[in-house]
C-alpha cells in the first residue's frame, strides 16, 4: 500500500488554525529553492487567506491523520478554464503520492464543475530546465517545445511530474522573473470538448 492511500483530503476552509499554519510552512519550504516564491510564513498566510476571500479560488489539503502533508489550489478564470495554483507537498513527503492524489482530486472537481482545461505556470528561476538562462526569442514556441528537466539541477523542476500526468507545454513567458528566468506554461485537457 502506498503512503498516499492513507491520506484524506479536506477543503482548506475546513482546516483548523494549526493546519493552516502547516499549509503556510509547506508553501515556504516546498518552494524554498525558487527565488521568486513565498519566503516568509506571513506571505504564505496571506496567499492562503485568498482562498477564503476570493470566490473564484478553492483549495484542498492532504492530511495524514491530522497533519497536513501538502495542498493544492485553483483559480477559476472561466467556467471552462481553471489555473492550478499552487501544488506543494512537504519536502519530507515528496515522491510518496500526495501530489498525485491532490492533482487527481482537483482534476475531478474541475471536470465535475464543467472545466475543460487546467493550466499552470511553473517558473524556472533556479536552473531546473534546459531553458534556464537562455534567450527564447525570436521563436518562443520552438524554444518551449524543447524544454526538458535537468537531472543535475540544483533542485528538481516539476515539469516531469506534470508531463507524466498528461500536461503538455503550452507556452512560455520569457524573463518572467528576470533575464533567462522563464515561466513555463503547461495545460491539460480534462475531458471531451463539446461540439461548438
Amino acid at each position: 500500500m502506498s503512503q498516499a492511500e492513507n491520506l484524506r483530503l479536506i477543503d482548506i476552509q475546513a482546516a483548523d488554525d494549526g493546519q493552516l499554519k502547516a499549509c503556510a510552512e509547506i508553501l515556504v519550504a516546498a518552494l524554498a529553492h525558487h527565488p521568486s516564491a513565498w519566503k516568509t510564513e506571513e506571505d504564505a498566510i496571506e496567499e492562503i487567506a485568498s482562498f477564503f476571500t476570493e470566490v473564484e479560488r478553492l483549495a484542498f489539503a492532504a492530511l495524514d491523520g491530522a497533519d497536513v502533508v501538502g495542498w493544492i489550489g485553483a483559480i477559476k478564470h472561466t467556467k471552462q478554464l481553471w489555473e492550478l495554483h499552487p501544488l506543494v507537498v512537504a519536502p519530507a513527503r515528496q515522491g510518496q503520492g500526495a501530489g498525485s492524489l491532490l492533482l487527481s482530486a482537483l482534476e475531478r472537481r474541475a471536470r465535475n464543475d464543467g472545466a475543460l482545461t487546467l493550466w499552470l505556470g511553473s517558473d524556472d528561476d533556479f536552473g531546473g530546465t534546459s531553458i534556464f538562462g537562455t534567450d527564447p526569442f525570436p521563436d518562443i514556441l520552438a524554444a518551449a517545445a524543447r524544454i526538458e528537466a535537468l537531472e543535475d539541477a540544483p533542485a528538481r523542476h516539476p515539469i516531469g511530474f506534470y508531463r507524466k500526468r498528461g500536461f503538455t507545454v503550452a507556452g512560455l513567458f520569457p524573463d518572467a522573473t528576470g533575464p533567462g528566468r522563464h515561466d513555463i506554461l503547461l495545460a491539460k485537457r480534462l475531458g471531451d470538448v463539446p461540439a461548438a
Side-chain angles (χ1 to χ4, degrees):
M1 180 182 334
S2 79
Q3 290 188 1
E5 292 176 15
N6 295 322
L7 302 179
R8 68 184 175 93
L9 301 179
I10 63 167
D11 186 298
I12 203 166
Q13 293 190 2
D16 63 32
D17 289 343
Q19 291 166 332
L20 292 173
K21 183 178 185 321
C23 286
E25 291 168 353
I26 290 169
L27 185 58
V28 172
L31 300 176
H33 60 282
H34 281 276
S36 60
W38 297 270
K39 293 299 174 204
T40 67
E41 190 176 314
E42 292 75 26
D43 290 341
I45 288 169
E46 187 176 313
E47 176 67 20
I48 291 164
S50 71
F51 290 92
F52 288 82
T53 59
E54 299 176 22
V55 296
E56 70 279 358
R57 290 183 173 227
L58 62 101
F60 305 107
L63 304 181
D64 185 353
D67 298 329
V68 177
V69 299
W71 66 281
I72 192 169
I75 303 168
K76 302 177 202 176
H77 291 286
T78 68
K79 179 175 175 53
Q80 297 82 19
L81 179 66
W82 287 27
E83 176 186 359
L84 186 166
H85 174 80
L87 170 55
V88 288
V89 175
R93 296 300 296 261
Q94 291 177 6
Q96 299 173 11
S100 294
L101 178 72
L102 287 160
L103 181 56
S104 293
L106 179 62
E107 289 177 3
R108 198 168 31 258
R109 170 68 183 271
R111 261 189 225 99
N112 290 343
D113 285 5
L116 301 174
T117 302
L118 182 62
W119 75 275
L120 64 104
S122 187
D123 290 336
D124 185 5
D125 54 3
F126 63 91
T129 69
S130 57
I131 195 83
F132 179 79
T134 67
D135 182 358
F137 287 98
D139 196 346
I140 296 168
L141 293 179
R146 294 188 302 269
I147 296 171
E148 295 296 332
L150 298 177
E151 294 296 320
D152 60 348
R156 188 173 35 153
H157 192 279
I159 192 169
F161 170 84
Y162 289 116
R163 281 181 167 159
K164 286 179 188 172
R165 283 146 190 87
F167 284 80
T168 188
V169 175
L172 185 70
F173 285 131
D175 308 320
T177 59
R181 299 169 182 265
H182 315 299
D183 192 3
I184 303 163
L185 305 179
L186 296 117
K188 179 177 182 177
R189 176 167 283 160
L190 296 176
D192 296 331
V193 177

